[in-house]
Amino acid sequence: MDGIAGNQRLAAEQRARVLIDRQLTAAGWQVQDRKAMNLFASQGVAVREVVMAKGHGRADYLLYVDRRAVGVIEAKPEGTPLSGVEWQSARYAEGLPANVRLKALTVDGRLPFIFEASGSETHFTNGFDPQPRARRIFAFPQTGTLARILRDAEADPEHPTWRAKVRHLPPLDTAPLRPAQIAAIRGVERSLAEQRFDRSLVQMATGAGKTYTAVTESYRLLKHGGFARILFLVDRNNLADQTLAEFQNYRIPGDGRRFTELYNVDKLSSAGMLHSSNVLISTIQRVYRVLAGDTAPEGDDPGLDDYVPAAPVTVAYNRALPPEAFDLVIVDEAHRSIYGVWRGVLEYFDAHIVGLTATPGKQTFGFFRQNLVSEYTYPQSVADRVNVDFDLYRIKTEISEQGSRIEAGTIVPKVDRRTRVQRLEQLDEDLEYTSKQLDRAVTAKSQIRLVLETFRDKLFTEIFPGRNTVPKTLIFCKDDAHAEEVVITAREVFGKGNDFAAKITYSARDPKGLLQAFRTSATLRVAVTVDMIATGTDVKPLECVFFMRDVRSASYFEQMKGRGARTIAPADFQAVTPDATEKTRFVIVDAVGVAEHDFVDPPLNREKGVSLKQLLDKAAALTLTEAETATLASRLSALELQLTSAEQAELDHVASIPVRDIVRGLVNAVDPDTQAKAAALATDRAAAVQELLDAAVQPLAANPQLRQRILELRQAHDRVIDEVSVDTLVDAYGVVDTSRARSIVESWQAYLDEHRDEITAIQLLSEARDRRISFADIKELADRISRPPRNWTPDLIWSAYEALDAGRVRHTERHTLTDLVSLLRFTIGEDDELVPYAERVRERYAAWLLQQRQAGVNFNQVERWWLDRMVEVIAVSAGINPDDLDNAPFTERGGVDGAIRDLGPNAAGLIEQLNAELAA
């Protein structure tokens, strides 16, 4: 019986060796018998059955790279637990016979590369690593890979591999980073150095700068950490362009050069993996396709990038994209199923995996071995003014809640899903449909119209009271046909044209161009989409996220919600939404009950009927409830977004600590995790939570002066909208009373005379003629004159001049801050006519173009695209500098690099010329 069992083991081991031979050959190794050994046959040679020194047995395979013995393979039958035979392979690695030792590379007397393999499983120990430890790998490394490891070890014997180098990374430059980004980078690097886990999870709220964090980490690991190539996985192919732009625009700390000047960053395309690439950007679907030996298309392909297999995928070895191709895999918000059915693709690569997500689920935590290296929640991001808080607005209709019934005999339109051809057909029987079938099997036009009409009617009274411009609104629909119906109805309901609302889906013509227009155009107010703008796409002016489809994934909902969360500079915000001031919140409009799922956390602003004064009074008395504490955090965060930098500094001085720290403390006090930790250490949970709330409120409760100053600043920035009082007409006549206008003009002139030595803009216009006024100078003046008791705006002063001297004042319906320059020039006598700044800039531009043509300089269409948009920036900002080219709309054509490409080496000269000729 023992002989039969021995023969069975031998047969099983022989089968394993056949599989191992195939795997080695696939990886580029030349497998040879000892008698036929020829080390010149290939860079990598695997020699079977090599007898080791006495007492060390026989090595199943001895590995040579560049004719030097560097490793051994211990072969075992399939099913053998390989961790139990590591002692055997280690013994071989130490027992080199004398004739082999002469041509061997050893570390502390041992061969550096040790493998255990059974044909179905392979373990690898790299002796150059600190505390060398076996790890499971998908397949044997290629010979070139081991050769590179050897070269790296010889070049830096003290830190031969990345696992050694990451323990000695230089200090992090924290200047351009937010606290959450610093914590995330340090958490990942700590995990890499400790090597307790091969995966690291970063939880960071949407909008907190996950991609910038990842780019910073990528630079540090490529530059200092010994990493050669990184795979960056995005959720959708259209986000690959956005990620590529992040790498292209990233400036090296202390250097100023762009990331892409030092490292090659490419999208995975039909060419497969570019061997010169340091960073490859792709969706996991495209990686799987390349691993399968196919090609990845160049453009967006929703059928490919949205594909989710029914069962977990299996992958096979691909020599063109081997498991060791990447040292690091970064998964950026690819949350849907990637750690389930797609995990085989991730586990194919012998790389450390870093996950970036706003809302990790149980499966995500499980995949990352519960190794959460940093955590940054949405409420914390609101406290830090990274994101804005949100409000919920629910719209319910009978059909959207219960469905409906169409009686038999009714003639109904039916639409072919494929061709969209419509035909009329009589129903043979009653048709009852539920709310779940709505907008998939059945489209109820009345329901869509009623929801949108309700939104229209409540928009300026309840959702955004006092406003009159439709806020930027993103509507999520169930599918493309539903989106088509919604966009058509939205135009009808609001009585607007095609440029008011657009469908931005993969099937739309030029969806990327439409998305850019949605970001920057003051005309396009409503975007209707299905999935394309659901994740990772920034539209900072967005104020309404409108759900006309249900979402059952917590992480996907957070991503969709996050489209409205971004903060935006007031000037940029007002450029696309003229009647807005600062973005301090956004609104989730829920027409399907999506916010009623358990996974939807409430906003911080939970007690809308309580005033800020009441909240501060309750804080002083230490009687705030948990909901009121959260609401106070939301109100203070919103107020901070409204304050000028001077007001912010003043408030921090009165508080003796940054007010942002007070808001953080309030947010942490209502955080369930913080409360759970406090309760675990106490016998009375309620008392422990109350103690947390009281401690968070203390900086406000103990500082009456701070509470009073908060209320004063709030009053200075708020105006009351009276919707209750009914006015009565007293009189109306055609004679203009100029007394108020004259008072405003005289007060304005006196103010300029009095403050001439303090206001930079006045000094520059009247004294330093060779310097132009910057937008910061204009903003400084605007902030000063807008404060009580004057409360002046460019519109008010302009109207006053128009009433007194209409013949010399051009009328305009819309003013910008730069019109202050025109007002200054007219008031101090520099200009004889009061002309809107933007008009004056465009007139000067037309004259400049004419001069250029007369001088023989003609600009082509591409050059005019750049020049025209530079002029628009000058019109609203009183000038332009090269850094502006890295913002919209210039980024759609490559930013600074695109300008140099299209305008040539004189790009900087043209900017200087335009500033000199057009700006005041």
Side-chain angles (χ1 to χ4, degrees), residues 728-784:
T728 303
L729 183 65
V730 174
D731 203 355
Y733 51 90
V735 178
V736 176
D737 180 5
T738 59
S739 59
R740 173 167 164 71
R742 183 171 290 106
S743 173
I744 291 172
V745 167
E746 289 173 355
S747 298
W748 160 251
Q749 291 170 338
Y751 178 83
L752 295 186
D753 288 337
E754 181 184 349
H755 297 281
R756 181 179 295 273
D757 296 333
E758 302 170 29
I759 301 174
T760 307
I762 304 174
Q763 295 174 21
L764 290 176
L765 272 181
S766 57
E767 299 164 16
R769 304 296 176 87
D770 58 330
R771 290 177 55 198
R772 64 183 178 84
I773 300 173
S774 71
F775 189 78
D777 301 330
I778 299 168
K779 187 74 169 56
E780 175 201 8
L781 176 58
D783 288 343
R784 293 181 65 148

Side-chain angles (χ1 to χ4, degrees), residues 807-827:
R808 292 199 300 154
V809 180
R810 284 194 207 172
H811 177 74
T812 180
E813 293 294 337
R814 177 172 170 256
H815 288 281
T816 62
L817 285 184
T818 49
D819 282 335
L820 275 174
V821 178
S822 297
L823 286 166
L824 281 173
R825 292 180 63 89
F826 186 71
T827 304

Side-chain angles (χ1 to χ4, degrees), residues 243-550:
T243 302
L244 180 59
E246 287 263 20
F247 277 100
Q248 291 169 336
N249 295 328
Y250 182 84
R251 298 284 184 175
I252 303 304
D255 185 316
R257 286 181 292 174
R258 295 178 185 276
F259 188 104
T260 45
E261 291 180 59
L262 298 179
Y263 303 104
N264 294 322
V265 182
D266 300 289
K267 293 197 298 182
L268 187 67
S269 65
S270 57
M273 186 180 77
L274 303 176
H275 290 283
S276 62
S277 300
N278 300 104
V279 179
L280 268 176
I281 304 169
S282 177
T283 62
I284 199 162
Q285 290 90 343
R286 289 167 185 256
V287 175
Y288 177 68
R289 187 160 173 168
V290 171
L291 281 175
D294 208 337
T295 57
E298 298 287 346
D300 291 339
D301 183 351
L304 171 61
D305 295 307
D306 289 346
Y307 172 65
V308 178
V313 299
T314 56
V315 294
Y317 180 79
N318 186 320
R319 187 170 179 178
L321 192 63
E324 69 270 22
F326 304 103
D327 300 307
L328 181 72
V329 176
I330 299 173
V331 187
D332 185 8
E333 280 303 358
H335 49 275
R336 293 171 303 143
S337 75
I338 195 168
Y339 306 123
V341 291
W342 288 115
R343 69 182 292 168
V345 176
L346 293 175
E347 292 174 339
Y348 172 83
F349 295 108
D350 181 26
H352 193 94
I353 303 173
V354 173
L356 309 172
T357 183
T359 51
K362 291 181 181 178
Q363 192 172 44
T364 306
F365 276 119
F367 179 85
F368 282 97
R369 332 279 199 209
Q370 315 295 328
N371 185 32
L372 182 66
V373 300
S374 75
E375 185 177 15
Y376 189 61
T377 64
Y378 190 87
Q380 289 171 328
S381 74
V382 172
D384 289 342
R385 303 204 309 271
V386 170
N387 286 323
V388 295
D389 199 12
F390 65 97
D391 288 328
L392 286 168
Y393 194 86
R394 182 75 165 92
I395 297 175
K396 291 184 179 182
T397 71
E398 190 171 318
I399 291 179
S400 62
E401 294 293 301
Q402 302 172 12
S404 189
R405 175 174 173 270
I406 308 174
E407 293 181 356
T410 305
I411 296 175
V412 298
K414 288 192 174 180
V415 178
D416 186 292
R417 289 180 183 274
R418 184 176 54 85
T419 64
R420 291 192 53 80
V421 171
Q422 183 172 300
R423 69 185 188 278
L424 295 175
E425 191 173 299
Q426 188 175 35
L427 292 180
D428 296 332
E429 54 186 23
D430 290 351
L431 173 63
E432 290 194 22
Y433 60 90
T434 65
S435 58
K436 291 182 179 179
Q437 292 173 289
L438 197 61
D439 300 311
R440 292 202 188 277
V442 179
T443 296
K445 291 195 173 189
S446 172
Q447 181 261 349
I448 293 173
R449 180 171 290 275
L450 180 57
V451 166
L452 292 174
E453 285 177 343
T454 305
F455 175 61
R456 177 200 64 195
D457 295 341
K458 303 294 185 181
L459 189 55
F460 302 130
T461 56
E462 295 182 18
I463 304 176
F464 288 93
R467 297 266 288 273
N468 52 50
T469 299
V470 176
K472 292 277 186 179
T473 299
L474 178 62
I475 303 178
F476 286 111
C477 294
K478 291 185 178 177
D479 56 27
D480 203 80
H482 184 208
E484 186 82 14
E485 196 68 43
V486 168
V487 77
I488 292 170
T489 308
R491 293 167 182 165
E492 293 171 353
V493 164
F494 282 92
K496 301 290 186 179
N498 295 346
D499 55 354
F500 171 80
K503 183 179 72 169
I504 306 180
T505 63
Y506 290 105
S507 67
R509 184 176 178 272
D510 189 21
K512 291 180 182 177
L514 283 171
L515 180 56
Q516 185 60 23
F518 188 48
R519 289 190 182 103
T520 59
S521 167
T523 307
L524 180 54
R525 308 308 303 171
V526 177
V528 184
T529 192
V530 180
D531 290 316
M532 183 176 167
I533 318 178
T535 59
T537 304
D538 284 339
V539 184
K540 291 184 177 181
L542 191 63
E543 291 185 273
C544 267
V545 178
F546 199 143
F547 285 89
M548 293 185 74
R549 62 171 284 193
D550 198 6

Side-chain angles (χ1 to χ4, degrees), residues 172-298:
L172 176 65
D173 179 10
T174 59
L177 299 169
R178 299 167 179 161
Q181 294 171 321
I182 296 168
I185 292 170
R186 286 177 173 164
V188 169
E189 292 180 358
R190 183 171 57 252
S191 183
L192 285 168
E194 292 173 351
Q195 278 300 297
R196 294 173 55 237
F197 300 97
D198 57 353
R199 301 167 187 175
S200 306
L201 180 62
V202 172
Q203 186 206 347
M204 191 182 289
T206 300
K210 291 188 294 295
T211 307
Y212 187 87
T213 303
V215 175
T216 302
E217 184 63 271
S218 297
Y219 164 71
R220 286 174 58 78
L221 295 178
L222 289 170
K223 176 69 175 176
H224 307 291
F227 283 57
R229 189 178 288 117
I230 295 169
L231 174 62
F232 199 110
L233 291 175
V234 294
D235 188 42
R236 297 181 178 281
N237 189 55
N238 67 304
L239 297 180
D241 292 326
Q242 189 170 305
T243 302
L244 180 59
E246 287 263 20
F247 277 100
Q248 291 169 336
N249 295 328
Y250 182 84
R251 298 284 184 175
I252 303 304
D255 185 316
R257 286 181 292 174
R258 295 178 185 276
F259 188 104
T260 45
E261 291 180 59
L262 298 179
Y263 303 104
N264 294 322
V265 182
D266 300 289
K267 293 197 298 182
L268 187 67
S269 65
S270 57
M273 186 180 77
L274 303 176
H275 290 283
S276 62
S277 300
N278 300 104
V279 179
L280 268 176
I281 304 169
S282 177
T283 62
I284 199 162
Q285 290 90 343
R286 289 167 185 256
V287 175
Y288 177 68
R289 187 160 173 168
V290 171
L291 281 175
D294 208 337
T295 57
E298 298 287 346

Side-chain angles (χ1 to χ4, degrees), residues 563-839:
R563 300 313 98 218
R566 306 296 200 262
T567 56
I568 182 172
D572 295 337
F573 189 33
Q574 292 158 18
V576 295
T577 305
D579 68 335
T581 50
E582 303 88 5
K583 181 179 176 182
T584 59
R585 64 166 191 145
F586 74 100
V587 177
I588 294 175
V589 181
D590 181 7
V592 292
V594 65
E596 291 160 18
H597 293 306
D598 291 340
F599 57 70
V600 178
D601 293 324
L604 280 172
N605 189 24
R606 299 169 195 175
E607 300 289 345
K608 295 183 178 59
V610 183
S611 70
L612 179 59
K613 184 179 187 309
Q614 289 172 315
L615 291 170
L616 290 173
D617 288 345
K618 295 190 78 171
L622 296 178
T623 57
L624 282 174
T625 65
E626 185 174 334
E628 289 168 341
T629 304
T631 302
L632 179 57
S634 177
R635 303 282 178 83
L636 292 178
S637 179
L639 177 61
E640 280 200 289
L641 290 168
Q642 296 175 300
L643 299 180
T644 65
S645 55
E647 290 169 335
Q648 182 71 61
E650 179 188 351
L651 202 58
D652 289 348
H653 176 72
V654 174
S656 299
I657 60 172
V659 173
R660 191 182 301 187
D661 289 350
I662 297 176
V663 179
R664 282 180 187 149
L666 295 171
V667 167
N668 287 336
V670 298
D671 179 67
D673 291 339
T674 305
Q675 293 181 352
K677 290 175 185 175
L681 302 174
T683 54
D684 186 340
R685 185 186 189 283
V689 170
Q690 190 60 52
E691 190 175 334
L692 274 178
L693 298 178
D694 291 348
V697 168
Q698 183 179 345
L700 291 161
N703 193 335
Q705 186 184 0
L706 173 61
R707 300 196 302 274
Q708 183 60 36
R709 193 69 189 107
I710 287 171
L711 291 174
E712 290 171 358
L713 285 169
R714 172 65 179 272
Q715 190 173 16
H717 282 272
D718 274 1
R719 58 189 176 93
V720 175
I721 307 297
D722 183 356
E723 298 178 325
V724 180
S725 303
V726 178
D727 202 4
T728 303
L729 183 65
V730 174
D731 203 355
Y733 51 90
V735 178
V736 176
D737 180 5
T738 59
S739 59
R740 173 167 164 71
R742 183 171 290 106
S743 173
I744 291 172
V745 167
E746 289 173 355
S747 298
W748 160 251
Q749 291 170 338
Y751 178 83
L752 295 186
D753 288 337
E754 181 184 349
H755 297 281
R756 181 179 295 273
D757 296 333
E758 302 170 29
I759 301 174
T760 307
I762 304 174
Q763 295 174 21
L764 290 176
L765 272 181
S766 57
E767 299 164 16
R769 304 296 176 87
D770 58 330
R771 290 177 55 198
R772 64 183 178 84
I773 300 173
S774 71
F775 189 78
D777 301 330
I778 299 168
K779 187 74 169 56
E780 175 201 8
L781 176 58
D783 288 343
R784 293 181 65 148
I785 66 175
S786 66
R787 294 175 184 168
R790 296 174 187 85
N791 301 316
W792 289 336
T793 64
D795 310 56
L796 183 72
I797 302 169
W798 198 284
S799 297
Y801 272 117
E802 197 169 7
L804 292 176
D805 200 356
R808 292 199 300 154
V809 180
R810 284 194 207 172
H811 177 74
T812 180
E813 293 294 337
R814 177 172 170 256
H815 288 281
T816 62
L817 285 184
T818 49
D819 282 335
L820 275 174
V821 178
S822 297
L823 286 166
L824 281 173
R825 292 180 63 89
F826 186 71
T827 304
I828 66 176
E830 285 287 318
D831 292 338
D832 295 329
E833 184 184 9
L834 184 53
V835 180
Y837 188 83
E839 282 187 36

